[in-house]
Amino acid sequence: MFTSNWGETHMRRLGGDKKAWYYPSILQTLHRGSDIMADPRRVEFGDFLRSRREKLSPKTVGLPAGLRRRTAGLRREEVAQLAGIGVDWYIRLEQGRTVSPSVTTVDALARALRLSKTEHAHLKALARDGDRRAFTREIVPPPILRLIESLPHPAYITGRRWDVLAWNEAAEQVFAFGRLQEEDRNTMLLMMTNKQTRKAYGAGWAEVAKRMVAMFRATHDVWAGDPAFAELLTRLRQGSSEFVKWWEAHEIRSTASGLKTMSHPTLGVLHFEHTSFQANDDPALKLVIYTPVRGGGSRGRALASGG
């Protein structure tokens, strides 16, 4: 992620739209056998219901604890009762069967499971019949490329899969995207599997990484089953035991601005306030800007002043 030769590379862009690493051998097996029997998004819908159910206690929702409760959280029939739906129907939903719950049912489930606004929105997104076209890497329009080139602070563009598509010189100074292979230019891979990134965040790595997993979970579930997302998920699972643990928790968070502190091998300790914006040209594109916080070391002060 970081390099001492930060002045060597200026603006870099990913070129070409026929990269083989986006379409691995999983393409050959995705629709084979029993895989066609279940909609991956419905599976994620059911898994999310289960994960929220297991986190609720009977006391939280005003139900008696009872005896011989062998599973954590609420029972399926209790959730069905709270939501006002049939037990068999709820079981089908949690099992990821190919059924389509109404908006009223989704809202009732959200109330029964005490979902937050972000979690409720996620459940509704999974219940919708979304676009089934395969993922393709986005192309950054020239005006947006020129925009980030002109920015004095670190800035880069990501796509729906969180791939880094383009970045400016200031971002190259800090993140050294240009020294990475194309298939590794992904913010989730950098955070979860890159040793230099983990070292840079130090004691704060786990908090930042766990939050990113919850945000990426919301993105992934809508694209569940897509070959490109499946390939990325496999790499993350194989490259990080922490990722596996946090992923199974099925936490969901929305994207938010915040502060990040990183230790750079040559620039020293850097403090940034980061925020992101969607592009009107293509809402799949996200502009991420790291604004240096003054007082974060001599180089941090220089970056904050545009130097």
Side-chain angles (χ1 to χ4, degrees), residues 226-262:
D226 183 271
F229 277 81
E231 172 70 4
L232 176 59
L233 184 59
T234 297
R235 292 190 63 187
L236 290 166
R237 286 183 177 278
Q238 293 176 346
S240 172
S241 59
E242 292 94 342
F243 175 84
V244 173
K245 179 178 65 175
W246 296 332
W247 190 257
E248 295 303 324
H250 213 142
E251 297 292 339
I252 299 295
R253 292 190 60 163
S254 59
T255 303
S257 302
L259 297 172
K260 286 186 179 180
T261 297
M262 295 175 282

Side-chain angles (χ1 to χ4, degrees), residues 283-296:
L285 299 178
K286 184 170 65 175
L287 167 63
V288 183
I289 300 177
Y290 279 65
T291 304
V293 177
R294 294 184 181 276

Side-chain angles (χ1 to χ4, degrees), residues 189-240:
L189 284 174
L190 283 170
M191 180 57 66
M192 300 307 307
T193 67
N194 187 287
K195 293 181 179 178
Q196 290 177 298
T197 302
R198 185 164 185 156
K199 182 179 179 181
Y201 281 98
W205 176 84
E207 179 182 356
V208 176
K210 185 177 181 180
R211 183 169 63 248
M212 284 184 63
V213 170
M215 291 189 294
F216 181 69
R217 196 46 146 120
T219 300
H220 164 274
D221 287 2
V222 178
W223 286 88
D226 183 271
F229 277 81
E231 172 70 4
L232 176 59
L233 184 59
T234 297
R235 292 190 63 187
L236 290 166
R237 286 183 177 278
Q238 293 176 346
S240 172

